Amino acid sequence: MPTTTDAEAAACVGSLCNKGWNEILTHMSPYGWGYYGIAFGLGLSVVGAAWGIWLTGSCLVGAAVKAPRIRSKNLISVIFCEATAIYGVILAIILLSKMSKLKDTSDVMPDDFSYAQWYYAGYSVFSSGLSVGLTNIASGISVGIAGSSCAIADAQDASLFVKILIVEIFASALGIFGIIVGIIQSNSAQFPAE
């Protein structure tokens, strides 16, 4: 198999050569950007929820050895972690409703086609999904850490449960803030339907 030298690769002058990252990123389909954003939003939200459940659940099981009474009461921490995955599902449904295909599927776009609106919608849906996904990873981890602290503290002293649960509610609010920001980011995203 013939190999390509560095000089031959640098001298690529054909029509299929990429001139740099700018060309790669601007020539990608806006639908691709949108679907990647939806995938990141949903996938990272589920990862955040799973991470939080792992942190909370392991400490809950360990602390329940010392105090079995905390098992059912501290399951609310697992529910808070699962809420971050639900936020990702909600946003994915909202963003999927914005992904409208073109009515005319010919290979040539009309002369008055709004490319700016098309790319804006793709970038907007991508950034919305990515920001919600990253926010929900942070929310899931922080809820998991607060939930594990709640389980350990409740095993030591039952009066600490409500006090630490309030901290856990604030950690869960990060996910709500993230989905609000994501909805605002994608609010004006409208794919042209010509």
Side-chain angles (χ1 to χ4, degrees):
M1 174 176 241
T3 59
T4 305
T5 65
D6 290 337
E8 290 172 337
C12 185
V13 292
S15 63
L16 299 177
C17 292
N18 290 319
K19 306 282 190 269
W21 283 107
N22 185 32
E23 185 175 344
I24 292 172
L25 295 177
T26 57
H27 286 73
M28 189 173 142
S29 170
Y31 295 115
W33 284 110
Y35 286 123
Y36 279 130
I38 293 169
F40 280 135
L42 184 58
L44 293 176
S45 296
V46 170
V47 167
W51 201 337
I53 290 170
W54 173 62
L55 289 169
T56 299
S58 60
C59 284
L60 178 60
V61 170
V65 171
K66 180 183 185 313
R69 63 177 171 74
I70 71 166
R71 283 181 295 196
S72 60
K73 185 167 54 170
N74 278 282
L75 283 179
I76 193 153
S77 301
V78 175
I79 294 168
F80 281 143
C81 291
E82 189 61 35
T84 59
I86 293 170
Y87 299 150
V89 170
I90 291 169
L91 185 85
I93 291 169
I94 291 170
L95 294 180
L96 275 173
S97 70
K98 294 185 175 294
M99 301 293 291
S100 62
K101 290 286 186 184
L102 295 172
K103 291 179 185 171
D104 182 21
T105 58
S106 65
D107 292 338
V108 179
M109 298 290 190
D111 291 334
D112 62 341
F113 186 74
S114 177
Y115 286 100
Q117 179 186 0
W118 196 39
Y119 274 98
Y120 177 81
Y123 293 146
S124 176
V125 170
F126 175 76
S127 65
S128 173
L130 185 63
S131 61
V132 168
L134 291 175
T135 304
N136 281 338
I137 278 188
S139 175
I141 292 171
S142 62
V143 168
I145 291 170
S148 65
S149 301
C150 186
I152 292 170
D154 189 23
Q156 288 293 327
D157 183 6
S159 67
L160 294 175
F161 175 73
V162 175
K163 295 173 185 172
I164 299 178
L165 189 65
I166 292 172
V167 174
E168 194 172 348
I169 291 169
F170 287 134
S172 180
L174 291 174
I176 296 172
F177 295 149
I179 195 167
I180 290 170
V181 168
I183 290 171
I184 291 170
Q185 280 179 323
S186 68
N187 200 21
S188 59
Q190 179 134 13
F191 284 90
E194 294 178 2

